[in-house]
Amino acid sequence: MLLETRALTAGYGQFRALFGVDVAIDTGECIAIIGANGAGKSTLMRSISGVLRNEPGMVVHRGEPIGALSSAAVMKRGIAMVPEGRKLFPSLTVEENLLIGGQSRKAAGPWDLGAIYDLFPVLKERRHSPGTALSGGQQQMVAIGRALMSNPELLLCDEISLGLAPVVIRDIYAALPKIRAGGAAIVVVEQDIGKALAVADRVYCMMEGRVTLAARASEISREAIHAAYFGEAA
């Protein structure tokens, strides 16, 4: 298994957001984490990426405990996150933002500036523009490209469609199969259930900090999702 969380409990100060969460991601796989606002999805991503530190054995990468590592150390292991809200460097151009991601490069791989520009051609056209001068969708493409520049084996995507126009969401989701073809496993945090089911091999549903459903995307029913999402029968 590429990565697992084992009875992961996490939170902020005295507030607990996750209670004994178990998820697993295999090499080259795409999984989706769905759930309403406040379900704990982003806290899960922050715990895996090292933004939140936990007990070492609560997050395991290739058999090694990494739950207590810093985000920089986690990235060096080949785990990169596209954060909710994009968080570009406002003083840098598009290309400079992308190059920042390359400074954390784990190893040689398929992703460099040329490959990112092939994936998102509009970024090549806007490469000398300030990152924050772009549309929300274009900024999201920069955030994805910045993470890919480290050539990760696991890409964590936290709410990548949030607040974007449908046509932009379509273009971003069209890039995910190409990213997988480059060898990366992907975790997608998504509130749009249809989008999640369309790209994922497996789906985890969360509610109030717990996993309420884990199933293969091809086998899951709308009734089961409804019950897991809202905690009641359809």
Side-chain angles (χ1 to χ4, degrees), residues 42-113:
S42 291
T43 302
L44 175 60
M45 294 297 97
R46 291 172 185 145
S47 295
I48 293 173
S49 65
V51 175
L52 287 177
R53 299 195 194 187
N54 301 284
E55 293 297 322
M58 288 184 175
V59 184
V60 178
H61 176 234
R62 294 198 176 280
E64 297 183 16
I66 66 167
L69 295 184
S70 68
S71 57
V74 171
M75 179 170 280
K76 288 180 180 179
R77 293 184 66 93
I79 300 169
M81 185 162 74
V82 183
E84 181 181 353
R86 301 176 283 274
K87 295 181 172 59
L88 302 185
F89 296 99
S91 63
L92 303 183
T93 66
V94 166
E95 190 158 295
E96 288 168 341
N97 268 280
L98 294 173
L99 289 172
I100 287 288
Q103 292 181 3
S104 301
R105 191 181 302 272
K106 173 177 178 281
W111 298 107
D112 55 18
L113 278 177

Side-chain angles (χ1 to χ4, degrees), residues 10-185:
Y12 309 89
Q14 297 299 311
F15 174 74
R16 285 285 165 245
L18 299 180
F19 303 90
V21 171
D22 295 321
V23 301
I25 306 105
D26 210 350
T27 302
E29 188 177 33
C30 179
I31 72 166
I33 310 292
I34 62 174
N37 283 334
K41 306 183 302 296
S42 291
T43 302
L44 175 60
M45 294 297 97
R46 291 172 185 145
S47 295
I48 293 173
S49 65
V51 175
L52 287 177
R53 299 195 194 187
N54 301 284
E55 293 297 322
M58 288 184 175
V59 184
V60 178
H61 176 234
R62 294 198 176 280
E64 297 183 16
I66 66 167
L69 295 184
S70 68
S71 57
V74 171
M75 179 170 280
K76 288 180 180 179
R77 293 184 66 93
I79 300 169
M81 185 162 74
V82 183
E84 181 181 353
R86 301 176 283 274
K87 295 181 172 59
L88 302 185
F89 296 99
S91 63
L92 303 183
T93 66
V94 166
E95 190 158 295
E96 288 168 341
N97 268 280
L98 294 173
L99 289 172
I100 287 288
Q103 292 181 3
S104 301
R105 191 181 302 272
K106 173 177 178 281
W111 298 107
D112 55 18
L113 278 177
I116 299 301
Y117 290 149
D118 287 343
L119 186 67
F120 298 123
V122 68
L123 298 187
K124 185 174 183 179
E125 300 171 13
R126 303 296 304 275
R127 64 187 183 276
H128 299 307
S129 300
T132 52
L134 275 59
S135 68
Q138 291 168 351
Q139 289 184 37
Q140 190 64 277
M141 293 173 186
V142 176
I144 294 170
R146 180 179 61 189
L148 288 175
M149 283 286 288
S150 67
N151 278 302
E153 61 178 8
L154 176 59
L155 182 68
L156 309 173
C157 299
D158 193 3
E159 301 281 14
I160 56 173
S161 68
L162 190 65
L164 302 183
V167 65
V168 177
I169 296 172
R170 181 198 64 199
D171 291 343
I172 287 174
Y173 268 83
L176 295 186
K178 300 174 185 177
I179 294 171
R180 289 185 71 182

Side-chain angles (χ1 to χ4, degrees), residues 29-30 32 193-194 196-204 213-222 224-225:
E29 188 177 33
C30 179
I193 295 172
L197 293 177
V199 300
D201 299 306
R202 293 185 298 112
V203 177
Y204 291 89
L213 178 68
R216 295 200 64 79
S218 60
E219 299 170 356
I220 197 169
S221 69
R222 290 284 176 172
I225 292 174

